[in-house]
Amino acid sequence: MRLLVVEDEMRIAELIRTGLMRAGFTVDCAGTVADATATLEVGSYDAAILDLGLPDGDGLDVLAKARQAGSVIPFLLLTARDAIDDRVLGLNAGADDYLVKPFAMDELIARTKALLRRPGLALGITLVSGNIQFDTVGREVRVGGKPLALPRQELNVLEHLVRRAGRVVPKSVLEDKLYGIDDELESNAIPVHVSHLRRKLVAAGATPEIHTVRGVGYLLEDKSA
Ligand code: CA
């Protein structure tokens, strides 16, 4: 298991590196956003441990760039900022866990191992409803474990429905969300996307069904639940 530790304070970086190596990991270190981003692009890492305060930017920049580049490895954030806003920000940005400094080395090792033990993709990245799995980073859908290829707009519709599974998603919300992507939105665009999507989900054997709530919007409901 190979890890990247991104930490600009040499003393802490060395401490973390030594601890993780004793625990059996292979460890590389980076001290800046630029270095970390370049290293993640070329190296094959199983997880990264990321300090939020870096000399040339924010650790969240590293995370955002990695996620944009399609990385699905777990990220554990280290933060001296004991503020809930930062934690929420980190988890929304696609981080998997965080530790507030100072932390015990044993705790860091335990959390890292827990992240690596997680099946499939990282927390907050795969949305699930019934037998539908939606990988929000890779933009891939699986139904009953089998990949289901969908055009971009149908993926976008499905993402919103899965995020709010069991609750109505107003048509106006879907129009707003998709409007930024389409320059021109035909008045019947959403119903057409939903109709195509519904047909494909049924054909793929999806347990959730898309219901139309007349005059309001759409609802994804898992009939197997
Ligand atoms: Ca720092």
Side-chain angles (χ1 to χ4, degrees):
M1 290 279 184
R2 190 168 168 195
L3 308 177
L4 181 67
V5 173
V6 185
E7 166 64 75
D8 59 311
E9 286 166 69
M10 289 298 288
R11 190 182 54 84
I12 298 176
E14 200 46 45
L15 211 65
I16 294 173
R17 192 161 93 109
T18 308
L20 289 171
M21 284 171 70
R22 281 206 190 112
F25 296 104
T26 302
V27 184
D28 294 329
C29 289
T32 62
V33 170
D35 189 13
T37 302
T39 307
L40 281 170
E41 271 171 19
V42 296
S44 173
Y45 294 96
D46 296 293
I49 292 158
L50 189 58
D51 180 35
L52 278 188
L54 297 169
D56 59 340
D58 197 297
L60 289 175
D61 298 340
V62 176
L63 176 58
K65 281 175 190 161
R67 292 299 188 224
Q68 273 164 25
S71 171
V72 294
I73 65 167
F75 278 81
L76 191 152
L77 299 182
L78 301 179
T79 176
R81 313 169 195 165
D82 189 7
I84 190 70
D85 283 355
D86 281 342
R87 297 178 190 185
V88 170
L89 186 64
L91 296 176
N92 281 345
D96 302 277
D97 201 358
Y98 63 86
L99 268 180
V100 176
K101 290 178 178 178
F103 52 85
M105 197 58 218
D106 286 350
E107 179 73 7
L108 176 64
I109 291 168
R111 297 276 196 103
T112 304
K113 284 183 175 172
L115 287 180
L116 291 166
R117 270 197 298 266
R118 261 185 211 161
L121 298 168
L123 178 74
I125 291 169
T126 303
L127 307 171
V128 177
S129 174
N131 65 352
I132 298 176
Q133 286 180 306
F134 193 115
D135 170 3
T136 62
V137 171
R139 311 302 294 170
E140 283 168 0
V141 174
R142 284 177 177 269
V143 177
K146 288 184 189 152
L148 175 64
L150 293 172
R152 194 191 50 176
Q153 293 294 40
E154 289 171 38
L155 273 177
N156 289 333
V157 170
L158 182 60
E159 177 173 3
H160 292 291
L161 291 175
V162 173
R163 279 191 192 281
R164 288 183 60 87
R167 290 173 291 168
V168 176
V169 179
K171 183 165 168 273
S172 59
V173 168
L174 289 176
E175 283 169 349
D176 281 351
K177 298 289 185 187
L178 275 73
Y179 203 73
I181 299 160
D182 266 355
D183 285 335
E184 294 230 354
L185 188 71
E186 309 262 332
S187 63
N188 67 341
I190 299 292
V192 168
H193 288 317
V194 169
S195 155
H196 290 164
L197 183 59
R198 179 185 283 134
R199 188 164 42 75
K200 289 173 190 175
L201 290 179
V202 169
T207 55
E209 282 178 348
I210 302 174
H211 300 287
T212 301
V213 182
R214 217 167 281 283
V216 185
Y218 305 95
L219 167 72
L220 187 72
E221 204 164 38
D222 186 11
K223 65 192 173 195
S224 72

